[in-house]
């Protein structure tokens, strides 16, 4: 096994999206800052209603998938297909925009903490125009496995841990996405396999932790995309306050990306077609 080391740190920057929701964006803060096949990662979290209450009114997408993971709070998803999903503590919504979807994500609370993440996962050219789809994944349907001093919530992907094959709530797909929420107790260590073909990153969102290799122990940056070098295993070490972090990995697509707001295609002509389709109502036509 080859331990992965830290390659690049992309600090999340404060910005806003939707109707003024305050977020911190690491991947996707510019179109040059991505990790194939992932386009964007937003962290949102506030106990001030004015930071989130306006939500994300109806808007279109084409050409990729969105994965929304709620840690605290209550958000309602509705789309033109008639899907309606209540995203609550620990739940995940996995939406495939495909050829086109129009949806909204609106807070269902007037006070308290709203906290979570939204990840954009690109689709290869052959799948960008497939039918739109939606999955509402309840917390109890997401596997959690425990290791000494640690727990791992496996939202997507598969892992062989201590000889036991563990499958997440979502498996398969061309990009083989791996998405895990890792909780480490103070001073705990955890080793996890991350297959060689996958690009991988760690996002530390609470506490402190380091990435361990044979040569060094490198501190992970809080609220940042910590991109990893090649390898097939990660070794994590928590600090005195423990840590909570996301492991995100996927098989790179290696195709050209042309993005215009909520549309992600391979050519400028395809973006222009997406705009025409949205303007004429064909984006969501059956």
């Amino acid at each position: 096994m080859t331990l992965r080391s830290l390659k690049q740190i992309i600090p999340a920057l404060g910005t806003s999206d939707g109707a003024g929701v305050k977020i911190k964006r690491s991947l996707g803060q510019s179109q040059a800052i991505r990790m194939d096949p992932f386009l964007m990662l937003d962290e949102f979290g506030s106990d001030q209603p004015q930071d989130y209450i306006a939500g994300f009114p109806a808007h279109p997408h084409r050409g990729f998938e969105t994965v929304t993971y709620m840690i605290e709070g209550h958000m309602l998803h509705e789309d033109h297909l008639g899907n309606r999903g209540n995203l609550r503590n620990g739940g995940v919504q996995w939406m495939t925009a495909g050829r086109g979807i129009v949806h909204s994500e609106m807070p269902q609370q007037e006070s308290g903490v709203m906290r979570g993440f939204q990840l954009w996962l690109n689709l290869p050219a052959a799948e960008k125009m497939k039918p739109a789809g939606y999955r509402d994944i309840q917390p109890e349907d997401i596997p959690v496995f425990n290791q000494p001093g640690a727990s791992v919530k496996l939202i997507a992907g598969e892992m062989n841990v201590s000889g036991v094959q563990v499958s997440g709530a979502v498996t398969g797909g061309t990009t083989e996405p791996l998405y895990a929420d890792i909780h480490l107790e103070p001073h705990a260590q955890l080793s996890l396999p991350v297959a060689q073909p996958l690009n991988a990153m760690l996002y530390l969102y609470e506490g402190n932790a380091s990435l361990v290799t044979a040569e060094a122990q490198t501190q992970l940056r809080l609220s940042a995309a910590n991109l990893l070098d090649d390898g097939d295993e990660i070794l994590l070490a928590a600090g005195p306050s423990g840590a909570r972090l996301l492991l995100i990995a996927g098989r790179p697509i290696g195709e050209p990306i042309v993005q215009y707001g909520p549309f992600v295609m391979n050519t400028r002509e395809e973006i222009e077609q997406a705009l025409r389709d949205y303007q004429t109502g064909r984006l969501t036509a059956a």
Side-chain angles (χ1 to χ4, degrees), residues 95-106:
M95 188 185 77
T96 301
R99 72 175 311 278
I101 198 166
V102 174
H103 78 135
S104 63
E105 297 160 296
M106 300 302 293

Side-chain angles (χ1 to χ4, degrees), residues 6-247:
L6 187 62
K7 178 173 66 174
Q8 182 184 0
I9 297 175
I10 303 170
L13 301 179
T15 184
S16 64
D17 209 335
V21 177
K22 289 187 177 181
I23 58 174
K24 291 189 284 189
R25 180 168 292 165
S26 51
L27 300 182
Q29 58 191 245
S30 78
Q31 295 194 13
I33 300 178
R34 299 183 175 120
M35 185 188 77
D36 190 8
F38 302 101
L39 302 161
M40 190 184 80
L41 178 63
D42 287 350
E43 176 184 8
F44 54 90
S46 176
D47 60 2
Q48 300 299 312
Q50 65 270 21
D51 292 343
Y52 61 74
I53 200 67
F56 302 89
H59 57 283
H61 292 295
R62 172 178 278 181
F64 62 101
E65 297 182 297
T66 69
V67 184
T68 308
Y69 174 35
M70 186 70 79
I71 296 173
E72 295 180 80
H74 183 192
M75 189 95 76
L76 174 66
H77 162 102
E78 294 181 297
D79 62 45
H80 83 278
L81 297 170
N83 295 310
R84 181 183 173 92
N86 282 298
L87 185 55
R88 296 181 181 272
N89 298 12
V92 173
Q93 291 180 352
W94 197 293
M95 188 185 77
T96 301
R99 72 175 311 278
I101 198 166
V102 174
H103 78 135
S104 63
E105 297 160 296
M106 300 302 293
Q108 300 300 293
Q109 59 189 71
E110 296 181 358
S111 62
V113 177
M114 180 167 285
R115 187 183 189 197
F117 297 90
Q118 186 169 93
L119 177 69
W120 285 18
L121 171 59
N122 199 14
L123 289 170
E127 299 176 22
K128 284 187 177 294
M129 295 296 284
K130 70 180 183 179
Y134 172 79
R135 288 187 61 182
D136 192 10
I137 305 169
Q138 300 303 314
E140 58 269 22
D141 296 326
I142 303 174
V144 177
F145 62 89
N146 297 310
Q147 296 286 287
S151 68
V152 180
K153 183 176 183 177
L154 193 55
I155 296 167
E158 296 179 301
M159 283 185 176
N160 190 299
V161 181
S162 302
V164 177
Q165 188 74 8
V166 183
S167 297
V170 176
T171 59
T174 303
T175 57
E176 302 173 27
L178 177 65
Y179 192 173
D181 184 8
I182 301 167
H183 294 195
L184 298 174
E185 295 177 6
H187 303 294
Q189 287 202 349
L190 175 68
S191 172
L192 291 174
V194 181
Q196 176 68 49
L198 307 184
N199 285 339
M201 59 165 278
L202 295 162
Y203 191 96
L204 178 70
Y205 66 92
E206 194 172 297
N208 43 69
S210 298
L211 188 67
V212 181
T213 66
E215 295 78 26
Q217 185 164 315
T218 308
Q219 186 78 24
L220 296 173
R221 182 156 176 175
L222 188 68
S223 294
N226 295 270
L227 275 55
L228 307 182
D229 269 322
D230 292 341
D232 51 19
E233 181 183 11
I234 60 168
L235 179 57
L236 297 168
S241 61
R244 300 178 69 178
L245 64 162
L246 303 178
L247 167 62

Side-chain angles (χ1 to χ4, degrees), residues 267-280:
T267 68
R268 180 181 177 86
E269 291 74 22
E270 290 169 336
I271 290 293
E272 292 171 349
Q273 184 64 55
L275 288 166
R276 288 194 295 270
D277 287 349
Y278 178 55
Q279 291 161 359
T280 60

